[in-house]
Structure formats: C-alpha cells, structure tokens
Amino acid sequence: MALLKVENLSIGYRTAGGMLKAVDGVNLSLEEGRSLGLVGESGCGKTTIGMALMGLLPPNGSITGGRIVLDGVEISALDEEELRKVRWSQVAMIFQAAMNALNPVIRVSAQMTEAIRTHRPDMDEQAIMQRVEGLFNLVGLPLERLHDFPHQYSGGMKQRAIIAMALALNPKLIIADEPTTALDVIVQDQILKETKVLQEQFDIGIIFISHDISIVAEVCHDIGVMYAGQLVEAGPAQEVFFNSKHPYTRALVGSFPTLAGPKSKLTPIPGEPPNLIGAIPGCRFCDRCPKDTASCKLEPPKWQEINERHWVLCDHC
Amino acid sequence: MSQSHKDILKLEGVSKFYRTRGNRYRRGGGTVVALSRVNLSLRPGEIFGLVGESGSGKTTAGRLVVRLEEPDEGRITLDGVDITHLKGGGLRDYRRKVQMVFQDPYQSLNPQMTIADAVAEPLITNKVGDPADRLERVLGVLDTAGLSPAEDFIYRFPHQLSGGQRQRVAIARAIVLEPSLLVADEPTSMLDASYSAQIFEILQGVRDQMGATIIFITHSMAAARYLCDRIAVIYHGHLVEQGPAEAVINSPSHPYTKALIDATPKFGRCEGVPTYGTYLPAPRPAGEQAGCPFFQRCALAERLLCSATYPEWRQVAGEQVCLCHFAAEGGQSPPPPEECRLGG
Ligand SMILES: Nc1ncnc2c1ncn2[C@@H]1O[C@H](COP(=O)(O)OP(=O)(O)O)[C@@H](O)[C@H]1O
Ligand SMILES: Nc1ncnc2c1ncn2[C@@H]1O[C@H](COP(=O)(O)OP(=O)(O)O)[C@@H](O)[C@H]1O
Ligand SMILES: [Mg+2]
Ligand SMILES: [Mg+2]
C-alpha cells in the first residue's frame, strides 16, 4: 500500500477577484521511504499542496475536490481535532529557514521539548530531554547550543533545528518546502546530503518542494513537474530529467547553467504563467509553448504514457 | 601589468569596515571587516564575476564601486581618474557612468511610480532630453530589457508585474543613461530559473550592444561560468582566486574555490568534474589575525604557516592567480605531510 495517495486533488482560494484555482486535479502517490520532488516556478501550487497535506490551508483556502489518503487514513476528511493528532506525528513539514518557522523569543530547547510534550503525554521530562539531545546529534547541531535563542543560530543551524523539529515525533511523511533556498551553496549541499541519509536511515517518505529542478533531481527518486496548478509530467528522476517530454519540463531543464560540458545557450521561457482565476479551456502552457497548435488552446490535454512510470500531460509529446 | 592602461575600473587595496554595536552574544561590539585589501581591474567590455557566499562582501564591493559608500582604505579609479572620495557634482557625474542593479526587485522599485516614470527618473534628474526624447529612450531600454511590446508596460505599476518583469524594469532603469559600467548584484537569486535565463540574455545584450562593462555578482559558480569572461572568488572579504572563468572553474587552485565547486548541484550533467573535499565540515579554532583568511575551514592548511602568515598572490597559470601558500604553477601542490602539519 502506498504511504500517500493524492487523488484528483483540487484546491481553491477565495479572493476579491473570484475563486483562484491554485491546484487542479493533481494525482500523486508515494511509497514508504521514497522521495518525490515537486518542481515548478513560483505560484504553481507547490506550497498549497504541502499545506493541504498538513491540514494547514489558510482560512480562505479549501479543498474543492479529490482526496488525500495518508497511510490508509483519509486526512482530507478529518476535522481540526483529528488533524492535530496526525499533524507533526504522522506528517511533518520543513519550512524555509527564512520563513521564521522558529519562535524568536523562545529557546530552541524549549520549542523542541514543547513540541514533543504536546504529542507524547506518556513521555517524562527526562525522556523528552534525551530525545531532544538525540535529535541535536542526529542533525549535527552542537549540544552546547541547545539552549540558545534562534537568532543566535546561523541560517544553516536554524535549518538543522527545523529539520530536528520535523523528525521529533518520527513522522512517516515529511514535506520539505524549499528547505535550502535561503541557504548558501556549501551549507545547502551539506544539508541536502544529510537529509538524504536521515531519510534512508528512518525510511521516511519525503515530498521535496523546490523551484530548482537540478536540486530535486539530485535528491529525489521521483519528480513531479507542476505548471499553473496542474501536474504536467511525472516519473523517475532520471527519466524526467534526461528524457523530458513536456515542453515545460524541457525548458526548465534547459534554463539553468551547468559547471561542465558545452556552454549551450540556455532556454529562457518567454511570457508569464496564466491567471488562475477563471476558466482556462485548453492547455495552460500553450501561450508559452513552442508546439502550440490550434487544438491546444481549445481542448484540455490528456495524460500520455511514455512508459509504465513516466507520464506526461500533453497531446503532442 | 602591460594592460593596466586599458583597465576601465581599478580597485587598489580597498577595504571597508563596519562598526557594530555589541550585544549579549557578540562581546563588546567591534569592527566587521566587510572587505579587506581588495585589488581588482576590469577591462572594457568584459563581464567580470564576483563569486562568493552571503556575507562575503560582494554587495559591499558593489556599493563601493558605484560609490554608494566610501572605502576606508585604498583607491578606486575609473578610466584613470581617482573617484575614491568624490563628492557633490563630481559624484553625480560619476553616477551617470556607473549604475547598479540590486538583488531584490521587490524593494528596488518605488511602488507609487509607473514603469515609465521609474525608468525616466534618471533622465529627468540628469536633465537629459525633452519629454518626447525621454519617452523614446524609455521605450528603447524597456525593449532591450526584454519587456516588449514596451507600450504595454509603461503605465503599469510594480505590483502588476512578476518578479522577473520587475527585475527587467530595474535593469532598464540602470541602463537608460547608457552607463559604461553596470554592477549587477545577484540579479537572479530571487527569481525562477525561467526568468534568470532571460536576465542573463539581457545582460549579455547590454554588454554586446551598449558596450558596457559588467560586474556580475553571484553565489553560483555555474552562473559565473555561463556569463563571465573572468571571475574573482571572495571569502570573508578577501579575494582568494582570480582568473579567466573557464580556468578557475575547470582547474581551481584555491581550496575554497574547490569547495564551492564541490557544493554545486551536478546531477548527471557534469561528468568529469572531480570532487576535491577541501572544506572542513566543522571549523578549527581561529588562527592569528594575520593568518590566512581561509585557515579555519581549510583541510589543507599547515598549522604553523597558515595560521600566522597571510599568503601572497601566486600565479597558477597564465592570468590565474591564487591566494594560498600552497598554490603552485599548474595547480595545487600537495600539502605538507601530516606530521609537519601538526606542529605548533
Ligand atoms: N492565501 C492565499 N490567498 C489567495 N491566493 C493564494 C493564497 N496562497 C497562495 N495563493 C495563490 O495560489 C497560487 C499557488 O501558490 P503557492 O502554492 O504558494 O505556489 P508555489 O508554492 O508553487 O509558489 C498562486 O497563484 C498564489 O498567488
Ligand atoms: N551597513 C552595515 N553595517 C554593518 N555590517 C554590515 C553592513 N553591511 C554589510 N555588513 C557586513 O559586512 C559583511 C559583508 O556583507 P555584504 O557585502 O552584504 O556581503 P554579501 O553581499 O556577499 O552577502 C557581512 O558580514 C555583513 O554583515
Ligand atoms: Mg511556495
Ligand atoms: Mg549581497
């Protein structure tokens, strides 16, 4: 049984201009201990999916269709009370370090013990403290910094603390939303490598959200490419990266420079993504697509099977 | 150097210090050395990359070059003219020739101003042309900056534009006076990859068509390789390696340059890029003030020498130079044997 199944998920935000369809008909599936990278440019709906998996959509956002099933439990049907039991203990989220996921006026040790205490009334204070120290060792934070305030940490240390918090209750699924975007290259590289080791060691499922396909390709087993609220290509990382089918995926792969090989011209993607308020009849990418045909504008594209595990949402691939 | 007379911009021994107030965690306050004894020369029409991690002093260097700030030590010259301490009218004239594009396109544009007004502002401040001329120039640079048809953009406000579009407006504004030197401070770090490829193209266009010299500030070795003719690597305010982009990236000499290359995502696209492993995962205790700036992180450091003595610039190959005691022609010579390293 898959650890996570997202079936035909649609999410809307009520806005002054009307309903904004942030996520539209997304299907995902994740086995225990596997990692799935969600990539796409900002505004394509990645964080919205992550928040829905945590049951943390903002008040103006709601699931308008489909369902989320985590380890056999339909979490999209749970009420807030039931969600609180699942959140952090079954599914945890790592936010961008820059997003101040840590409370600046509470010592890191207190924030971590508190998180464990709320969910584990069975554990005594000594056991909780031992757990926190274990987590510090796990993510490579020095124990003597345990009682610091978050602002005394560097960006990389903050991110390690956030990872430790996510691991605190042994969740089966971790959603990492741009976990290293605000970090320097060397620290980013260290944290990505360590996260990968932890994931394998504890058999955690990871959804890794990033706008950078080169990072996702390096850390994830599978990749899902999103565009304007839809999944447009999905498959094993190798396949999606080296045998990209969707014109958007190809453009993404071709849009960042590399360290070696010929300095081939990058492929900028002209134009801007569509407005997500209101109906979009045809393919969402057609305005920016080199393959754009008359039918693309009118008919929504259908999923094509490239092979058993590699799929693309395009009628002309 | 034989080419020095052709250099457009020269930094000689430039340092910048910031005084900080002390707090509970940083004893007594003190001085941050943002930039230390930096020497740089730019050739006309080149794209010069300044590569380093955050806090290494890149923005400080940019702000000194456009003279938003004054250096505390050293000298800056443009076309042979000393501009280190320019003031008043002289500084205004200088700023016409030297412009900067900032990292954050969400903060660099005035939200109350239309795109046309924002781009025309430098023309008005400098009393260039009449309204009709100005509009024509504004449309021209918007087009150069990839915002076309330009007529569609001029009456919009920044909040109606995407981050990528805002950054292109910022570039248009910076090039409207046809500067001879443009400092682009991590212009793509806050943008999606699809936009950054466009920004790279526009910067290449600014160089190729307007003949501007560009300082491209970045934390990405791959971006520097793509865009730059020459690069300098900066660590904690100190330049540590300099040379043709291709040489520095293909055969890096400084251990820090190697660490940056190790940390760059390579997924499948970079066969043959070796791994160097020169970066200590946990810093060793600091050396003396006068020692090598990379001592704490350097796996190759020799304790007695590197902790106490500032390295000299050494030539590695051609124009590639490196600030390391162990740099040698043709690459990095092996560090001394382990037993020598433990002395002291
Ligand atoms: N609270 C909200 N109210 C209204 N619209 C929102 C809200 N949060 C996100 N959106 C919109 O939903 C879309 C998807 O956003 P998001 O999930 O944050 O994308 P990503 O994480 O891929 O950048 C965007 O168009 C964004 O503007
Ligand atoms: N106005 C300032 N006051 C105090 N310290 C500063 C100021 N500006 C920069 N610094 C410090 O100078 C160093 C270099 O900063 P900066 O030039 O912004 O680096 P970069 O652009 O490479 O990230 C950092 O340690 C930074 O904290
Ligand atoms: Mg997001
Ligand atoms: Mg900076």
Side-chain angles (χ1 to χ4, degrees), chain A residues 40-43 46 107 149 151-152 183-190 192-193 211-212 214-215 217-219 237-238 241-242 248 252-273 288, chain B residues 24-25 52-55 162 164-165 168 189 191-198 200-201 204 219-223 225-228 245-246 249-250 256 259-271 273 279-281 297:
Chain A
E41 65 200 308
S42 57
K46 306 179 298 293
R107 293 180 195 278
F149 287 97
H151 70 262
Q152 293 169 264
L183 302 177
D184 269 322
V185 273
I186 291 181
V187 180
Q188 162 172 297
D189 183 57
Q190 288 168 344
L192 289 178
K193 286 187 175 127
H211 65 279
D212 187 338
S214 67
I215 290 178
E218 203 158 83
V219 282
Q238 289 275 342
F241 197 87
F242 291 111
Y248 178 63
L252 268 189
V253 171
S255 67
F256 68 89
T258 60
L259 261 194
K263 272 201 259 180
S264 47
K265 223 171 123 49
L266 301 180
T267 51
I269 309 174
E272 302 285 328
R288 305 170 80 182
Chain B
R24 211 137 71 75
Y25 317 110
E53 297 189 281
S54 67
S162 71
Q165 290 171 331
R168 283 178 272 167
S189 70
L191 305 178
D192 281 316
S194 57
Y195 296 124
S196 50
Q198 290 171 359
F200 293 161
E201 244 179 26
Q204 277 167 330
H219 61 267
S220 161
M221 276 288 182
R225 171 175 183 259
Y226 183 72
L227 205 56
C228 300
E246 208 61 39
I249 287 164
N250 291 344
Y256 180 63
L260 285 178
I261 288 171
D262 278 349
T264 304
K266 300 193 185 60
F267 193 73
R269 291 272 211 76
C270 302
E271 290 85 11
V273 178
Y279 192 81
L280 285 184
R297 285 293 193 176

Side-chain angles (χ1 to χ4, degrees), chain B residues 18-20 32-35 52-61 69 103 185-186 217 234:
Chain B
Y18 291 110
R19 226 154 290 290
T20 55
V32 177
V33 182
L35 220 52
E53 297 189 281
S54 67
S56 59
K58 306 182 296 299
T59 298
T60 302
E69 279 175 86
Q103 184 171 13
D185 186 5
E186 307 208 48
I217 293 175
I234 181 167

Side-chain angles (χ1 to χ4, degrees), chain A residues 29-98:
Chain A
S29 147
L30 184 71
E31 301 293 325
E32 208 162 292
R34 304 269 304 175
S35 54
L36 168 70
L38 276 186
V39 275
E41 65 200 308
S42 57
C44 71
K46 306 179 298 293
T47 297
T48 300
I49 291 184
M51 291 302 206
L53 293 174
M54 287 290 285
L56 280 176
L57 285 175
N60 68 328
S62 57
I63 295 180
T64 54
R67 45 189 222 137
I68 302 167
V69 182
L70 177 68
D71 211 19
V73 178
E74 188 178 341
I75 52 174
S76 46
L78 299 184
D79 62 24
E80 178 56 30
E81 180 74 10
E82 294 163 317
L83 272 174
R84 257 201 295 271
K85 293 190 192 119
V86 176
R87 200 183 291 144
W88 300 114
S89 58
Q90 304 280 311
V91 47
M93 192 150 172
I94 298 172
F95 299 93
Q96 257 189 41

